[in-house]
Amino acid sequence: MTQPFRTHEVFNQSPPFEDVDLFTLDRPLAEAVAANGGAAARDEMKAFGKHWGSAAMAARGRLANENPPKPRIFDARGNRRDEVEFHPSYHELMAHSTHAGLHNSTWTADGGPAAGAAEVVRAAKFYMAAQVETGHLCPITMTRASVATLAVQPNLLAETMPVIATRSYDPSFAPWRTKRGMTLGMGMTEKQGGTDVRANQTRAVRDGDAYHITGHKWFMSAPMCDAFLVLAQAEGGLTCFFTPRFRPDGSVNTIHLQRLKDKLGNRSNASSEVEFVEAFARRVGEEGKGVRAILQMVQLTRQDCAIASAGLMRSGLAHALHHARHRSVFQKRLADQPLMQAVLADMALRVEASVALVMRLCRAFDEAPSDPKAAAWMRLLTPAVKYWICKSAPGLLYEAMECLGGNGYVEEGILARHYREAPVNAIWEGSGNVMCLDVLRVLARDGEAAVAVLDDLAADTSDLPGAAEAVAFLAGTFRRPDGERAARQAVETLAQLAAAAALNRTAPDQAALFAATRLGHPHGSMFGTAELSAAQSRDLLERALP
């Protein structure tokens, strides 16, 4: 029992938002999953949502961030260790995500695409896990995505897949072949190039069937992964390599940690600077085709950036709305105050559109292997969805913090951590400008298929206010010779049009509100400036959190 203060009684404070079912309380998520083929997994989703919504999982997320990873580069006698130590809570989060298959459930045991709505179901779990702790999801998403690149080298995929395909988490520092399960990371960027990976200077020298890599990587996240997909310059040009932590003879590979990055957020996850000193590696794909090989992986990590950002926004909204319903101000519940209600409803509308859009994107990933139209939708919309959703998250999370006032700004609560976490998904795996350029590249390279996607979006939103004007704007902008200058506005409009189309499938009334306030007449840029009636606001908030 809480001991009373001698000077005052504690009251009018919201209880913790814990021991909740993250799936059942999220009607927009449930509807989006069902609309995109995942209805059969409802019981599975409910069990996952209840488990990840528990106070125990919230505590693990807090502890993993309050106790960040520590580099152990040398031992007491000066020998190189090149290891990173994590708090037990981090390993527990990894174990729970691995047990749920977040790292492999979209693949078959031999590394092919899983059937049915595997992408949609896995995305719903990833979205809920992101509401609790996102840092550990970095190695989870890289492991999942690496399978797409390993498929370029079938013999290597056949060797690694039996270990990747398990649902066991094995944190031991040992050769991957000996482990119960494995994780994979990637190392692409260097000091002089960043996004321009073709400027990489790390070299790879052939030695029979293997290569020796010498050089550096400026950002290599999750350095305790069992292997990394690394870009290096071989004789035939920039090439992708599988670089394990251990050599075939069992000795530690010469991947030398320099330091861990001191990051704004993503604190539970280690990101490192490394040097390779003739490190053992195996080629993935042909020499000179490294960018093409690694892009198979990057497409999937971009998808997860959008899913995680949507999850962060959902958590921000849920905590803000939960607080407002328990807090009274001026003899009235905060959630019933007209201005606060307008802010929360506007946030709820943005989040509902975002989850509808990411689940529609995941359906395209499910269908792409057998449906050229879905593949075209995926290619055009993945960078647009990442651009809009990931760049939306920091602003919405700030607004959620403001709803809690000072309680939202302190580190004891989850919103300060979410806010520090939010920018990373827009920066990693291609920043905003890179996403816009990718949309323009898809339009230039796959013009006919991309136009067909735009035509479908126009048809799917033909009954929504402002949609026709948005379609006309996109058509005019994408045809302009200087279209790159207006690309940001065009890509944002494209994502919002796609969100309206996705929402129109699950919640037509909300789709009309979203289109009217985002594609229709101009409104203020801050949350709470959209013109929503009291009844519309109440309906949105009841859908967001019953």
Side-chain angles (χ1 to χ4, degrees), residues 236-488:
L238 192 64
T239 305
C240 182
F241 294 94
F242 175 85
T243 311
R245 288 300 312 266
F246 287 81
R247 294 174 180 270
D249 65 4
S251 62
V252 178
N253 206 0
T254 46
I255 303 172
H256 292 165
L257 303 183
Q258 303 302 297
R259 63 174 177 171
L260 298 186
K261 297 289 192 181
D262 186 6
K263 298 171 293 185
L264 168 68
N266 203 249
R267 298 276 180 84
S268 68
N269 174 46
S271 297
S272 63
E273 298 169 23
V274 301
E275 287 188 347
F276 304 96
V277 185
E278 297 187 346
F280 168 84
R282 296 171 63 183
R283 179 169 48 84
V284 181
E286 301 175 33
E287 284 195 4
K289 301 290 180 63
V291 172
R292 181 181 298 179
I294 207 75
L295 279 178
Q296 305 302 313
M297 180 179 187
V298 170
Q299 187 84 327
L300 293 169
T301 56
R302 288 175 175 176
Q303 175 196 14
D304 276 0
C305 283
I307 298 167
S309 289
L312 286 170
M313 288 194 288
R314 163 62 193 179
S315 183
L317 170 65
H319 280 87
L321 182 51
H322 173 77
H323 173 80
R325 284 176 173 166
H326 288 86
R327 179 81 163 176
S328 294
V329 179
F330 307 128
Q331 294 80 50
K332 198 173 185 180
R333 292 285 185 190
L334 195 54
D336 296 328
Q337 303 278 1
L339 262 178
M340 179 58 77
Q341 197 173 83
V343 170
L344 291 167
D346 206 0
M347 291 165 61
L349 186 57
R350 173 73 68 88
V351 173
E352 182 158 356
S354 297
V355 71
L357 179 57
V358 294
M359 292 304 157
R360 173 64 184 89
L361 176 65
C362 293
R363 191 182 101 214
F365 274 86
D366 274 322
E367 297 173 349
S370 59
D371 184 348
K373 205 169 191 179
W377 203 101
M378 179 189 74
R379 286 193 300 273
L380 179 64
L381 268 299
T382 297
V385 172
K386 180 186 182 298
Y387 174 86
W388 180 60
I389 291 181
C390 294
K391 292 184 79 65
S392 296
L396 188 140
L397 285 161
Y398 158 72
E399 200 70 61
M401 285 199 303
E402 189 173 308
C403 291
L404 273 69
N407 285 2
Y409 194 67
V410 295
E411 291 289 349
E412 286 88 347
I414 197 172
L415 292 186
R417 167 156 49 96
H418 281 349
Y419 183 66
R420 286 188 283 100
E421 190 77 27
V424 72
N425 289 323
I427 295 170
W428 283 359
E429 310 307 327
S431 60
N433 284 351
V434 173
M435 293 301 95
C436 293
L437 292 172
D438 278 1
V439 170
L440 296 180
R441 272 191 285 269
V442 172
L443 287 165
R445 186 178 63 241
D446 305 327
E448 188 174 331
V451 168
V453 172
L454 292 173
D455 289 343
D456 285 347
L457 291 178
D460 292 342
T461 56
S462 60
D463 60 334
L464 297 179
E469 293 81 357
V471 171
F473 168 74
L474 291 174
T477 304
F478 286 143
R479 290 194 189 102
R480 284 170 47 178
D482 63 341
E484 184 177 324
R485 291 187 176 277
R488 281 196 165 215

Side-chain angles (χ1 to χ4, degrees), residues 175-254:
W176 64 267
R177 292 179 186 274
T178 69
K179 298 183 66 171
R180 293 177 291 110
M182 69 182 294
T183 55
L184 290 96
M186 60 180 170
M188 295 192 292
T189 60
E190 298 180 6
K191 294 174 183 176
Q192 74 285 347
T195 298
D196 184 9
V197 294
R198 295 188 187 279
N200 283 7
Q201 296 178 345
T202 297
R203 310 297 302 179
V205 177
R206 188 162 191 161
D207 181 12
D209 292 333
Y211 288 76
H212 293 149
I213 294 181
T214 300
H216 83 281
K217 293 299 169 188
W218 186 227
F219 269 91
M220 198 166 84
S221 284
M224 289 306 289
C225 284
D226 299 294
F228 301 88
L229 296 176
V230 172
L231 291 178
Q233 299 286 357
E235 186 177 350
L238 192 64
T239 305
C240 182
F241 294 94
F242 175 85
T243 311
R245 288 300 312 266
F246 287 81
R247 294 174 180 270
D249 65 4
S251 62
V252 178
N253 206 0
T254 46

